[in-house]
């Protein structure tokens, strides 16, 4: 597999996510309920009973870069995202071992009155796929998400080799925090490289353990 620089991988990731987001928006979302009419805005991002979105190292870097470049965010608002991420890791006891998909949390990327802070440029695949539908027949097939996540896996492998993993979103944000000393990430990199002799779970295999984000039905 051809190796990629991080910059090249980030550019490809954004193109892949943009195409995926456009497909969902044009083909499936017309049948979904409008988020603007939601009686509980942001509940699908902040309800810690079911949110368990996982991302990869490359996606975490994309989120970090998006937060850094977003002009509408002040330095204090950017720092607040990482503080919320660290608080989520501590409050919900998020960790890197065992069945990480059993861990749930409130997403630190949601801001009241604004919504997802990385919606346009770095939104995770499960969040792109999610919307509230009245009929199950209108819901996008899970295969779309699995295909998108498999492409994300390939980009990570081309960029970092074995030095990455699927982890809860808040945990990854603490690892790529611009003010972090990098020690935790370095320790995990060594661990991943040691363990990668065992094949990594594919996106299609992991779906058996992932809880879907909520969908309304009649």
């Amino acid at each position: 597999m051809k190796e990629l620089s991080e910059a090249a991988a980030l550019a490809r990731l954004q193109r892949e996510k943009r195409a995926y987001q456009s497909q969902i928006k044009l083909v499936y979302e017309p049948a979904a309920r409008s988020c603007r009419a939601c009686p509980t805005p942001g509940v699908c991002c902040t309800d810690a009973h079911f949110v368990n979105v996982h991302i990869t190292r490359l996606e975490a870097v994309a989120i970090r870069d998006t937060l850094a470049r977003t002009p509408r965010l002040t330095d204090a608002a950017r720092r607040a995202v990482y503080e919320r991420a660290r608080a989520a890791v501590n409050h919900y006891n998020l960790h890197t071992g065992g069945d990480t998909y059993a861990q749930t949390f409130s997403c630190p990327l949601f801001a009241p009155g604004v919504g997802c802070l990385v919606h346009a440029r770095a939104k995770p695949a499960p969040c792109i796929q999610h919307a509230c539908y009245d009929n199950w027949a209108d819901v996008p097939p899970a295969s779309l998400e699995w295909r998108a996540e498999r492409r994300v896996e390939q980009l990570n492998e081309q960029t970092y080799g074995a030095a990455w993993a699927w982890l809860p979103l808040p945990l990854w944000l603490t690892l790529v925090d611009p003010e972090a000393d990098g020690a935790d990430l370095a320790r995990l990199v060594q661990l991943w490289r040691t363990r990668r002799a065992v094949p990594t779970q594919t996106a299609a295999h992991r779906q058996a353990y992932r809880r879907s984000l909520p969908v309304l039905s009649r």
Side-chain angles (χ1 to χ4, degrees):
M1 188 176 293
K2 183 180 179 181
E3 294 184 0
L4 290 174
S5 68
E6 188 174 77
L10 286 169
R12 291 193 185 186
L13 177 67
Q14 187 177 51
R15 289 196 296 271
E16 296 276 350
K17 288 284 187 72
R18 186 183 297 120
Y20 175 40
Q21 201 161 15
S22 294
Q23 181 182 14
I24 295 296
K25 182 176 182 179
L26 293 174
V27 178
Y28 298 98
E29 285 189 2
R33 295 189 180 187
S34 172
C35 291
R36 295 177 181 177
C38 181
T40 53
V43 68
C44 54
C45 305
T46 59
D47 189 333
H49 294 297
F50 60 79
V51 176
N52 68 343
V53 173
H54 279 46
I55 61 172
T56 61
R57 183 175 179 177
L58 189 65
E59 291 174 292
V61 172
I63 290 172
R64 181 187 65 194
D65 290 355
T66 299
L67 293 174
R69 295 172 182 172
T70 301
R72 65 182 177 181
L73 291 178
T74 63
D75 289 341
R78 293 186 184 93
R79 177 49 28 201
V81 174
Y82 295 102
E83 291 174 353
R84 289 197 297 270
R86 197 165 300 278
V89 169
N90 294 330
H91 182 73
Y92 301 108
N93 191 30
L94 304 182
H95 47 80
T96 62
D99 181 9
T100 59
Y101 284 93
Q103 304 174 66
T104 57
F105 51 83
S106 177
C107 183
L109 293 174
F110 179 82
V114 178
C116 177
L117 296 176
V118 298
H119 174 81
R121 298 181 63 87
K123 199 165 188 174
C127 306
I128 291 174
Q129 184 103 346
H130 171 69
C132 291
Y133 295 87
D134 289 312
N135 298 306
W136 285 102
D138 296 325
V139 177
S143 59
L144 290 179
E145 182 183 331
W146 301 341
R147 185 159 58 245
E149 291 192 332
R150 179 53 190 151
R151 184 57 184 142
V152 169
E153 288 179 334
Q154 292 171 339
L155 289 172
N156 275 272
E157 290 164 1
Q158 289 177 275
T159 308
Y160 305 116
W164 67 278
W166 290 93
L167 295 175
L169 186 150
L171 189 49
W172 256 123
L173 290 188
T174 66
L175 294 173
V176 300
D177 183 342
E179 295 188 8
D181 61 11
D184 289 339
L185 179 55
R187 175 181 56 80
L188 286 169
V189 164
Q190 289 299 111
L191 180 64
W192 292 327
R193 285 174 174 162
T194 300
R195 291 182 175 177
R196 196 48 64 94
V198 179
T200 305
Q201 288 184 340
T202 64
H205 179 72
R206 288 194 317 276
Q207 61 85 22
Y209 301 97
R210 178 187 298 118
R211 286 192 232 174
S212 298
L213 291 175
V215 178
L216 296 180
S217 59
R218 288 180 179 175

